[in-house]
């Protein structure tokens, strides 16, 4: 499959001879979830965005943002990140021959994401502060330095990410509601743009973690906290657009607890065979807590792969069974 810039070129702000930095992103599976469908009494689908090249939906926006940076003659890109944007920016920068710096909250990003950013050769800066402070600082820095900012304040990010909405409608034709985790609020804004371009309007149900729920509270959260480190964000950059999207779609923004997120995370892995990262499970946690509200067909966006965050997984899952190397012991171990 070609990357999404080639698939959707006529709907993106790029011309045929513009440079394309691609890793074959997009065209991710949308799978039916039989167990969840039964639980909420509607038809539930899971959009597996963790199957993008670096393991998250960020690649959709990053192929466009980095391609635009190359087109503009940029030599370097930078972002603030809770982890996935950093991994994606680092990979696409490597691919496009640009240097990359990422600023992440010290000690608060999942190990897989850190490994990716480092392996792709990014300069990884661990900020003694949170994501919101990191974003404020990179915005100020890019005002002073000729470095392209590839956070979702960059409009090309949203252009790329809107293509996920196209794919869902291509496959299902109609959709009543979309459940989606909300952090910096770029993705929900992008989906709404994508749906609007197709003239469809599913209800947008956005979910934030209870300890990092500025949109739900209607005010900034200065010290956001949640086990879902990807959405540990207290002052989303796309605040107004996201609220407008939810209002225009007759949707909602609501909070889910860390316990609910982890329970949905385990259920997805154990019952649906889908391993996503904790932040992604917020979409399903919200659906389980608040119900489908009459929507007959629902899609939940699973934004990142479970392998991103092995520590949380190992902490949540059952332990391994030690065993001596003989048949009796193995038999006992296997049968329990
Ligand atoms: C798995 O990587 O903000 O509401 O810096 O990694 O568009 O921010 C990540 C966000 C959901 C929230 N799920 O999306 C970053 C970053 C996962 C994420 C979100 C993120 P937005």
């Amino acid at each position: 499959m070609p990357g999404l810039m080639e698939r959707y070129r006529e709907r993106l702000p790029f011309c045929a001879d513009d440079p394309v930095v691609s890793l074959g992103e997009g065209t991710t599976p949308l799978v039916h979830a039989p167990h969840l469908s039964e639980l909420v009494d509607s038809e539930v689908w899971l959009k597996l965005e963790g199957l993008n090249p670096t393991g998250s939906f960020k690649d959709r926006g990053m192929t466009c943002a980095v391609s635009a940076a190359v087109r503009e003659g940029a030599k370097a890109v930078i972002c603030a990140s809770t982890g996935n944007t950093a991994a994606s920016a680092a990979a696409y920068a490597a691919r496009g021959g640009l240097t990359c710096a990422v600023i992440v909250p010290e000690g608060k990003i999942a190990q897989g994401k850190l490994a990716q950013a480092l392996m792709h050769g990014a300069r990884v800066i661990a900020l003694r502060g949170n994501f919101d402070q990191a974003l404020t600082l990179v915005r100020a820095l890019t005002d002073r330095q000729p470095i392209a900012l590839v956070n979702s304040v960059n409009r090309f990010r949203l252009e790329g990410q809107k293509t996920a909405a196209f794919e869902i409608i291509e496959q299902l034709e109609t959709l009543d509601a979309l459940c989606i985790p909300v952090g910096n609020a770029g993705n929900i804004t992008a989906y709404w743009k994508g749906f609007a371009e197709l003239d469809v309007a599913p209800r947008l149900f956005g979910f934030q973690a209870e300890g990092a729920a500025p949109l739900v509270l209607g005010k900034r959260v200065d010290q956001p906290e949640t086990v879902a480190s990807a959405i540990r964000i207290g002052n989303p950059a796309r605040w107004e657009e996201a609220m407008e999207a939810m209002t225009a779609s007759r949707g909602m923004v609501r909070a889910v607890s860390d316990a609910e997120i982890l329970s949905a995370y385990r259920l997805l892995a154990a019952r649906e065979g889908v391993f996503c990262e904790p932040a992604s499970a917020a979409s399903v946690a919200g659906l389980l807590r608040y119900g489908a509200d009459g929507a007959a067909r629902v899609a939940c966006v699973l934004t990142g792969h479970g392998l991103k965050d092995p520590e949380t997984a190992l902490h949540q899952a059952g332990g391994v069974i030690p065993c001596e190397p003989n048949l009796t012991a193995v038999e006992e171990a296997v049968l329990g």
Side-chain angles (χ1 to χ4, degrees):
M1 268 291 183
L4 61 85
M5 287 184 60
E6 278 149 82
R7 274 186 78 200
Y8 296 110
R9 177 153 355 232
E10 75 285 4
R11 293 186 176 277
L12 294 170
F14 293 92
C15 304
D17 50 2
D18 283 341
V20 174
V21 182
S22 169
L23 292 163
E25 55 293 311
T27 324
T28 55
L30 178 66
V31 300
H32 183 241
H35 181 65
L36 271 172
S37 296
E38 207 173 292
L39 286 179
V40 301
D41 195 22
S42 74
E43 187 187 308
V44 181
W45 295 80
L46 305 171
K47 183 67 169 160
L48 306 187
E49 288 291 278
L51 274 76
N52 276 297
T54 77
S56 86
F57 74 96
K58 304 286 182 183
D59 297 343
R60 290 184 186 274
M62 209 54 75
T63 183
C64 291
V66 171
S67 296
V70 169
R71 181 172 65 183
E72 288 152 18
K75 297 279 174 274
V77 295
I78 192 166
C79 64
S81 180
T82 57
N84 279 325
T85 302
S88 185
Y92 283 81
R95 183 85 180 175
L98 304 176
T99 61
C100 176
V102 303
I103 305 195
V104 300
E106 185 178 38
K108 295 291 186 180
I109 84 165
Q111 289 291 293
K113 304 172 189 181
L114 185 59
Q116 287 178 289
L118 291 167
M119 279 300 290
H120 290 304
R123 184 183 278 264
V124 178
I125 298 146
L127 189 76
R128 302 206 171 96
N130 61 32
F131 169 83
D132 303 292
Q133 293 168 303
L135 184 57
T136 304
L137 289 164
V138 290
R139 290 178 92 154
L141 182 73
T142 51
D143 284 343
R144 293 158 56 105
Q145 299 289 336
I147 308 174
L149 181 60
V150 295
N151 279 105
S152 60
V153 294
N154 177 321
R155 76 181 185 96
F156 293 102
R157 284 277 312 278
L158 299 198
E159 291 292 331
Q161 285 171 214
K162 76 184 180 188
T163 61
F166 299 164
E167 291 176 14
I168 292 175
I169 299 302
E170 276 165 30
Q171 186 172 338
L172 298 180
E173 289 178 10
T174 64
L175 183 70
D176 301 304
L178 184 87
C179 296
I180 182 169
V182 177
N184 211 26
N187 210 26
I188 192 167
T189 303
Y191 269 87
W192 186 239
K193 188 170 197 303
F195 288 131
E197 288 181 18
L198 298 181
D199 236 353
V200 296
R203 300 178 68 190
L204 299 184
F205 296 140
F207 298 107
Q208 300 204 287
E210 241 166 44
L215 298 188
V216 179
L217 298 170
K219 64 175 178 24
R220 219 175 58 200
V221 175
D222 289 330
Q223 285 177 334
E225 269 314 332
T226 170
V227 68
S229 59
I231 51 171
R232 189 171 165 273
I233 294 175
N235 187 20
R238 297 277 182 179
W239 187 312
E240 284 79 20
E241 290 115 305
M243 290 311 295
E244 209 174 287
M246 283 182 274
T247 307
S249 73
R250 297 178 303 110
M252 293 283 231
V253 60
R254 288 180 283 205
V256 285
S257 69
D258 278 5
E260 288 165 335
I261 289 172
L262 292 173
S263 157
Y265 171 66
R266 292 188 304 262
L267 178 139
L268 280 163
R271 298 299 301 266
E272 301 288 7
V274 174
F275 186 26
C276 65
E277 66 170 286
S280 308
S283 60
V284 169
L287 178 63
L288 289 171
R289 170 156 173 191
Y290 298 102
D293 198 20
R297 181 180 284 164
V298 181
C300 296
V301 185
L302 299 184
T303 44
H305 202 287
L307 291 172
K308 291 274 189 175
D309 188 352
E311 289 149 304
T312 304
L314 289 169
H315 199 70
Q316 288 298 309
V320 298
I321 300 155
C323 184
E324 292 305 317
N326 65 70
L327 186 56
T328 320
V330 171
E331 198 163 45
E332 228 176 77
V334 170
L335 300 179

